Amino acid sequence: MIGPVTPEQMMAAAAIHAESWQDSHRAVCSPEFLALHTPQRQKACLEAAIAAGARLYMLTDGRPVGIVSVRGSCIENLYILPAEQNKGYGSRLLEFAIGQCAGAPTLWVLNTNPGARRLYERRGFRPTGQLVQHGGGLYEQEFRLDKI
């Protein structure tokens, strides 16, 4: 089931975000930096995104397993618990998020996350050419889905 995150579910969403973010950034961030991304910190980040206009959704399958947010046509914060990845949850959340977009869906992918890139490309997302450099060879690349 996918639905809007309620205030009572916010800490569960933040825990998914924290655990998944740490897992996906382990290869490029120091242990000290990873440790800063606690559920409490990620809760504040998610609440700030909501205050700025994002809508946050959670996928549950007996328990919370993933989150995604949508702001306009931009899909953000698509995170699946590491133990629940490769079970179709990411695809389900992505399809749901595409349906929530106001126009042609866009999203940003770190160059160190080939699994996410494969998921998006399988669905038809293509690079737009826009990059955000973060230094040290790390960058984010924008992808857009032109045909829904």
Side-chain angles (χ1 to χ4, degrees), residues 51-76:
R55 296 169 314 217
L56 180 62
Y57 302 95
M58 181 183 293
L59 183 148
T60 57
D61 189 3
R63 69 181 187 111
V65 296
I67 62 168
V68 67
S69 63
V70 178
R71 185 185 332 224
S73 293
C74 188
I75 298 170
E76 304 171 316

PDB file of all heavy atoms in Angstrom, residues 51-76:
ATOM      1  N   ALA A  51       7.475  21.343   3.950  1.00  0.00           N
ATOM      2  CA  ALA A  51       7.184  22.768   4.126  1.00  0.00           C
ATOM      3  C   ALA A  51       7.440  23.551   2.841  1.00  0.00           C
ATOM      4  O   ALA A  51       6.800  24.576   2.594  1.00  0.00           O
ATOM      5  CB  ALA A  51       8.022  23.336   5.271  1.00  0.00           C
ATOM      6  N   ALA A  52       8.361  23.046   2.001  1.00  0.00           N
ATOM      7  CA  ALA A  52       8.687  23.705   0.736  1.00  0.00           C
ATOM      8  C   ALA A  52       7.797  23.220  -0.414  1.00  0.00           C
ATOM      9  O   ALA A  52       8.035  23.564  -1.569  1.00  0.00           O
ATOM     10  CB  ALA A  52      10.157  23.489   0.400  1.00  0.00           C
ATOM     11  N   GLY A  53       6.790  22.387  -0.116  1.00  0.00           N
ATOM     12  CA  GLY A  53       5.845  21.986  -1.140  1.00  0.00           C
ATOM     13  C   GLY A  53       5.895  20.543  -1.590  1.00  0.00           C
ATOM     14  O   GLY A  53       5.107  20.138  -2.446  1.00  0.00           O
ATOM     15  N   ALA A  54       6.805  19.743  -1.052  1.00  0.00           N
ATOM     16  CA  ALA A  54       6.870  18.330  -1.443  1.00  0.00           C
ATOM     17  C   ALA A  54       5.746  17.546  -0.775  1.00  0.00           C
ATOM     18  O   ALA A  54       5.290  17.894   0.311  1.00  0.00           O
ATOM     19  CB  ALA A  54       8.222  17.734  -1.058  1.00  0.00           C
ATOM     20  N   ARG A  55       5.313  16.507  -1.462  1.00  0.00           N
ATOM     21  CA  ARG A  55       4.360  15.557  -0.877  1.00  0.00           C
ATOM     22  C   ARG A  55       5.129  14.260  -0.648  1.00  0.00           C
ATOM     23  O   ARG A  55       5.775  13.748  -1.559  1.00  0.00           O
ATOM     24  CB  ARG A  55       3.187  15.341  -1.823  1.00  0.00           C
ATOM     25  CG  ARG A  55       2.367  16.619  -2.028  1.00  0.00           C
ATOM     26  CD  ARG A  55       1.402  16.435  -3.159  1.00  0.00           C
ATOM     27  NE  ARG A  55       2.134  15.804  -4.266  1.00  0.00           N
ATOM     28  CZ  ARG A  55       1.959  16.073  -5.540  1.00  0.00           C
ATOM     29  NH1 ARG A  55       1.058  16.912  -5.912  1.00  0.00           N
ATOM     30  NH2 ARG A  55       2.661  15.479  -6.472  1.00  0.00           N
ATOM     31  N   LEU A  56       5.060  13.733   0.580  1.00  0.00           N
ATOM     32  CA  LEU A  56       5.819  12.552   0.976  1.00  0.00           C
ATOM     33  C   LEU A  56       4.887  11.351   1.091  1.00  0.00           C
ATOM     34  O   LEU A  56       3.832  11.446   1.713  1.00  0.00           O
ATOM     35  CB  LEU A  56       6.517  12.819   2.311  1.00  0.00           C
ATOM     36  CG  LEU A  56       7.377  11.701   2.898  1.00  0.00           C
ATOM     37  CD1 LEU A  56       8.547  11.354   1.976  1.00  0.00           C
ATOM     38  CD2 LEU A  56       7.885  12.119   4.281  1.00  0.00           C
ATOM     39  N   TYR A  57       5.311  10.236   0.494  1.00  0.00           N
ATOM     40  CA  TYR A  57       4.518   9.013   0.485  1.00  0.00           C
ATOM     41  C   TYR A  57       5.340   7.858   1.039  1.00  0.00           C
ATOM     42  O   TYR A  57       6.568   7.839   0.928  1.00  0.00           O
ATOM     43  CB  TYR A  57       4.083   8.670  -0.944  1.00  0.00           C
ATOM     44  CG  TYR A  57       3.297   9.769  -1.592  1.00  0.00           C
ATOM     45  CD1 TYR A  57       3.920  10.701  -2.414  1.00  0.00           C
ATOM     46  CD2 TYR A  57       1.927   9.900  -1.368  1.00  0.00           C
ATOM     47  CE1 TYR A  57       3.211  11.730  -3.004  1.00  0.00           C
ATOM     48  CE2 TYR A  57       1.204  10.925  -1.960  1.00  0.00           C
ATOM     49  CZ  TYR A  57       1.850  11.837  -2.772  1.00  0.00           C
ATOM     50  OH  TYR A  57       1.141  12.856  -3.354  1.00  0.00           O
ATOM     51  N   MET A  58       4.636   6.875   1.605  1.00  0.00           N
ATOM     52  CA  MET A  58       5.286   5.687   2.153  1.00  0.00           C
ATOM     53  C   MET A  58       4.651   4.438   1.568  1.00  0.00           C
ATOM     54  O   MET A  58       3.422   4.364   1.432  1.00  0.00           O
ATOM     55  CB  MET A  58       5.153   5.659   3.676  1.00  0.00           C
ATOM     56  CG  MET A  58       5.819   4.459   4.328  1.00  0.00           C
ATOM     57  SD  MET A  58       5.558   4.410   6.129  1.00  0.00           S
ATOM     58  CE  MET A  58       6.483   5.850   6.621  1.00  0.00           C
ATOM     59  N   LEU A  59       5.491   3.462   1.246  1.00  0.00           N
ATOM     60  CA  LEU A  59       5.037   2.154   0.815  1.00  0.00           C
ATOM     61  C   LEU A  59       5.151   1.219   2.004  1.00  0.00           C
ATOM     62  O   LEU A  59       6.217   1.143   2.629  1.00  0.00           O
ATOM     63  CB  LEU A  59       5.886   1.648  -0.350  1.00  0.00           C
ATOM     64  CG  LEU A  59       5.469   0.311  -0.948  1.00  0.00           C
ATOM     65  CD1 LEU A  59       5.775   0.294  -2.441  1.00  0.00           C
ATOM     66  CD2 LEU A  59       6.142  -0.850  -0.282  1.00  0.00           C
ATOM     67  N   THR A  60       4.051   0.547   2.323  1.00  0.00           N
ATOM     68  CA  THR A  60       4.067  -0.432   3.403  1.00  0.00           C
ATOM     69  C   THR A  60       3.662  -1.787   2.843  1.00  0.00           C
ATOM     70  O   THR A  60       2.829  -1.876   1.933  1.00  0.00           O
ATOM     71  CB  THR A  60       3.119  -0.039   4.555  1.00  0.00           C
ATOM     72  OG1 THR A  60       1.806   0.120   4.027  1.00  0.00           O
ATOM     73  CG2 THR A  60       3.558   1.254   5.224  1.00  0.00           C
ATOM     74  N   ASP A  61       4.260  -2.816   3.378  1.00  0.00           N
ATOM     75  CA  ASP A  61       3.924  -4.193   3.034  1.00  0.00           C
ATOM     76  C   ASP A  61       4.051  -4.990   4.334  1.00  0.00           C
ATOM     77  O   ASP A  61       5.044  -5.669   4.564  1.00  0.00           O
ATOM     78  CB  ASP A  61       4.858  -4.727   1.949  1.00  0.00           C
ATOM     79  CG  ASP A  61       4.402  -6.074   1.401  1.00  0.00           C
ATOM     80  OD1 ASP A  61       3.334  -6.567   1.824  1.00  0.00           O
ATOM     81  OD2 ASP A  61       5.108  -6.633   0.540  1.00  0.00           O
ATOM     82  N   GLY A  62       3.071  -4.798   5.191  1.00  0.00           N
ATOM     83  CA  GLY A  62       3.150  -5.374   6.526  1.00  0.00           C
ATOM     84  C   GLY A  62       3.906  -4.470   7.477  1.00  0.00           C
ATOM     85  O   GLY A  62       3.642  -4.444   8.671  1.00  0.00           O
ATOM     86  N   ARG A  63       4.837  -3.717   6.941  1.00  0.00           N
ATOM     87  CA  ARG A  63       5.624  -2.727   7.684  1.00  0.00           C
ATOM     88  C   ARG A  63       6.132  -1.701   6.681  1.00  0.00           C
ATOM     89  O   ARG A  63       6.160  -1.965   5.472  1.00  0.00           O
ATOM     90  CB  ARG A  63       6.781  -3.373   8.434  1.00  0.00           C
ATOM     91  CG  ARG A  63       7.871  -3.913   7.514  1.00  0.00           C
ATOM     92  CD  ARG A  63       8.998  -4.568   8.305  1.00  0.00           C
ATOM     93  NE  ARG A  63      10.097  -4.934   7.434  1.00  0.00           N
ATOM     94  CZ  ARG A  63      11.283  -4.356   7.451  1.00  0.00           C
ATOM     95  NH1 ARG A  63      11.560  -3.410   8.309  1.00  0.00           N
ATOM     96  NH2 ARG A  63      12.234  -4.748   6.625  1.00  0.00           N
ATOM     97  N   PRO A  64       6.561  -0.527   7.134  1.00  0.00           N
ATOM     98  CA  PRO A  64       7.102   0.467   6.201  1.00  0.00           C
ATOM     99  C   PRO A  64       8.385  -0.048   5.534  1.00  0.00           C
ATOM    100  O   PRO A  64       9.277  -0.557   6.214  1.00  0.00           O
ATOM    101  CB  PRO A  64       7.411   1.666   7.095  1.00  0.00           C
ATOM    102  CG  PRO A  64       6.548   1.478   8.300  1.00  0.00           C
ATOM    103  CD  PRO A  64       6.462  -0.002   8.493  1.00  0.00           C
ATOM    104  N   VAL A  65       8.443   0.046   4.183  1.00  0.00           N
ATOM    105  CA  VAL A  65       9.629  -0.423   3.473  1.00  0.00           C
ATOM    106  C   VAL A  65      10.254   0.623   2.563  1.00  0.00           C
ATOM    107  O   VAL A  65      11.413   0.482   2.166  1.00  0.00           O
ATOM    108  CB  VAL A  65       9.358  -1.711   2.654  1.00  0.00           C
ATOM    109  CG1 VAL A  65       9.007  -2.862   3.562  1.00  0.00           C
ATOM    110  CG2 VAL A  65       8.282  -1.504   1.618  1.00  0.00           C
ATOM    111  N   GLY A  66       9.511   1.700   2.214  1.00  0.00           N
ATOM    112  CA  GLY A  66      10.089   2.690   1.317  1.00  0.00           C
ATOM    113  C   GLY A  66       9.337   3.996   1.357  1.00  0.00           C
ATOM    114  O   GLY A  66       8.195   4.059   1.821  1.00  0.00           O
ATOM    115  N   ILE A  67      10.007   5.035   0.867  1.00  0.00           N
ATOM    116  CA  ILE A  67       9.409   6.364   0.784  1.00  0.00           C
ATOM    117  C   ILE A  67       9.761   7.003  -0.552  1.00  0.00           C
ATOM    118  O   ILE A  67      10.724   6.601  -1.208  1.00  0.00           O
ATOM    119  CB  ILE A  67       9.863   7.304   1.929  1.00  0.00           C
ATOM    120  CG1 ILE A  67      11.388   7.529   1.881  1.00  0.00           C
ATOM    121  CG2 ILE A  67       9.416   6.779   3.280  1.00  0.00           C
ATOM    122  CD1 ILE A  67      11.890   8.650   2.781  1.00  0.00           C
ATOM    123  N   VAL A  68       8.991   8.011  -0.917  1.00  0.00           N
ATOM    124  CA  VAL A  68       9.285   8.850  -2.074  1.00  0.00           C
ATOM    125  C   VAL A  68       8.579  10.179  -1.862  1.00  0.00           C
ATOM    126  O   VAL A  68       7.532  10.238  -1.217  1.00  0.00           O
ATOM    127  CB  VAL A  68       8.827   8.191  -3.401  1.00  0.00           C
ATOM    128  CG1 VAL A  68       7.320   8.075  -3.482  1.00  0.00           C
ATOM    129  CG2 VAL A  68       9.400   8.921  -4.608  1.00  0.00           C
ATOM    130  N   SER A  69       9.169  11.240  -2.370  1.00  0.00           N
ATOM    131  CA  SER A  69       8.487  12.533  -2.337  1.00  0.00           C
ATOM    132  C   SER A  69       8.429  13.095  -3.754  1.00  0.00           C
ATOM    133  O   SER A  69       9.236  12.746  -4.612  1.00  0.00           O
ATOM    134  CB  SER A  69       9.175  13.516  -1.387  1.00  0.00           C
ATOM    135  OG  SER A  69      10.488  13.821  -1.808  1.00  0.00           O
ATOM    136  N   VAL A  70       7.417  13.946  -3.968  1.00  0.00           N
ATOM    137  CA  VAL A  70       7.212  14.580  -5.264  1.00  0.00           C
ATOM    138  C   VAL A  70       6.978  16.062  -5.018  1.00  0.00           C
ATOM    139  O   VAL A  70       6.158  16.435  -4.174  1.00  0.00           O
ATOM    140  CB  VAL A  70       6.007  13.973  -6.016  1.00  0.00           C
ATOM    141  CG1 VAL A  70       5.774  14.681  -7.343  1.00  0.00           C
ATOM    142  CG2 VAL A  70       6.194  12.477  -6.227  1.00  0.00           C
ATOM    143  N   ARG A  71       7.721  16.871  -5.751  1.00  0.00           N
ATOM    144  CA  ARG A  71       7.552  18.332  -5.698  1.00  0.00           C
ATOM    145  C   ARG A  71       7.365  18.807  -7.126  1.00  0.00           C
ATOM    146  O   ARG A  71       8.317  18.803  -7.911  1.00  0.00           O
ATOM    147  CB  ARG A  71       8.780  18.971  -5.064  1.00  0.00           C
ATOM    148  CG  ARG A  71       8.657  20.454  -4.869  1.00  0.00           C
ATOM    149  CD  ARG A  71       9.918  21.102  -4.349  1.00  0.00           C
ATOM    150  NE  ARG A  71      10.743  20.234  -3.550  1.00  0.00           N
ATOM    151  CZ  ARG A  71      11.316  20.596  -2.413  1.00  0.00           C
ATOM    152  NH1 ARG A  71      11.152  21.797  -1.942  1.00  0.00           N
ATOM    153  NH2 ARG A  71      12.088  19.753  -1.745  1.00  0.00           N
ATOM    154  N   GLY A  72       6.136  19.176  -7.470  1.00  0.00           N
ATOM    155  CA  GLY A  72       5.856  19.547  -8.856  1.00  0.00           C
ATOM    156  C   GLY A  72       6.015  18.335  -9.753  1.00  0.00           C
ATOM    157  O   GLY A  72       5.262  17.383  -9.652  1.00  0.00           O
ATOM    158  N   SER A  73       7.041  18.372 -10.604  1.00  0.00           N
ATOM    159  CA  SER A  73       7.351  17.234 -11.478  1.00  0.00           C
ATOM    160  C   SER A  73       8.648  16.539 -11.089  1.00  0.00           C
ATOM    161  O   SER A  73       9.121  15.683 -11.820  1.00  0.00           O
ATOM    162  CB  SER A  73       7.457  17.712 -12.931  1.00  0.00           C
ATOM    163  OG  SER A  73       6.200  18.137 -13.378  1.00  0.00           O
ATOM    164  N   CYS A  74       9.206  16.924  -9.954  1.00  0.00           N
ATOM    165  CA  CYS A  74      10.481  16.346  -9.523  1.00  0.00           C
ATOM    166  C   CYS A  74      10.251  15.252  -8.486  1.00  0.00           C
ATOM    167  O   CYS A  74       9.613  15.477  -7.451  1.00  0.00           O
ATOM    168  CB  CYS A  74      11.385  17.431  -8.952  1.00  0.00           C
ATOM    169  SG  CYS A  74      13.061  16.839  -8.612  1.00  0.00           S
ATOM    170  N   ILE A  75      10.764  14.071  -8.781  1.00  0.00           N
ATOM    171  CA  ILE A  75      10.702  12.931  -7.869  1.00  0.00           C
ATOM    172  C   ILE A  75      11.968  12.963  -7.016  1.00  0.00           C
ATOM    173  O   ILE A  75      13.083  13.017  -7.542  1.00  0.00           O
ATOM    174  CB  ILE A  75      10.605  11.606  -8.655  1.00  0.00           C
ATOM    175  CG1 ILE A  75       9.324  11.593  -9.486  1.00  0.00           C
ATOM    176  CG2 ILE A  75      10.679  10.418  -7.713  1.00  0.00           C
ATOM    177  CD1 ILE A  75       9.235  10.454 -10.478  1.00  0.00           C
ATOM    178  N   GLU A  76      11.775  12.941  -5.701  1.00  0.00           N
ATOM    179  CA  GLU A  76      12.902  13.031  -4.762  1.00  0.00           C
ATOM    180  C   GLU A  76      12.764  11.960  -3.688  1.00  0.00           C
ATOM    181  O   GLU A  76      11.684  11.410  -3.478  1.00  0.00           O
ATOM    182  CB  GLU A  76      12.916  14.413  -4.087  1.00  0.00           C
ATOM    183  CG  GLU A  76      12.959  15.568  -5.068  1.00  0.00           C
ATOM    184  CD  GLU A  76      12.752  16.920  -4.407  1.00  0.00           C
ATOM    185  OE1 GLU A  76      11.855  17.037  -3.546  1.00  0.00           O
ATOM    186  OE2 GLU A  76      13.475  17.849  -4.763  1.00  0.00           O
TER     187      GLU A  76
END
